[in-house]
Amino acid sequence: MANSGANRTTFLTVAEVAEMVRVSRMTVYRWIHTGELPAVRFGRSFRVPQQAVETFMEQAELAGGYITEDDEHRSGTVG
């Protein structure tokens, strides 16, 4: 049975996630290493499922924002 591709997961690079959420790549790496953002390791790099990023952003919005290393206080802006 051929797979139509409808079930395929779209993966994003750390740089793409950082640009999407408007934080540094280091912040995304921290989220991955602390388990806040799920990711898959491909060789020496990480890939993050796009759905995981969307879920993460929704949860951050519900919690009032997310903490970045730049300001160490909650940002009311998500996305």
Side-chain angles (χ1 to χ4, degrees), residues 13-33 37 46 48 68-70:
T13 65
V14 168
E16 290 171 329
V17 173
E19 183 178 323
M20 190 176 180
V21 187
R22 296 184 182 168
V23 297
S24 71
R25 289 181 303 169
M26 185 55 70
T27 297
V28 177
Y29 281 118
R30 285 186 187 123
W31 290 338
I32 291 169
H33 289 293
L37 186 63
F46 287 98
V48 181
T68 67
E69 81 281 359
D70 298 330

Side-chain angles (χ1 to χ4, degrees), residues 6-18:
N7 297 342
R8 289 191 169 205
T9 301
T10 301
F11 288 94
L12 303 170
T13 65
V14 168
E16 290 171 329
V17 173

Side-chain angles (χ1 to χ4, degrees), residues 40-56:
V40 178
R41 189 160 199 149
F42 286 103
R44 293 176 47 191
S45 62
F46 287 98
R47 296 291 187 269
V48 181
Q50 184 172 359
Q51 183 61 46
V53 176
E54 292 168 4
T55 301
F56 179 80

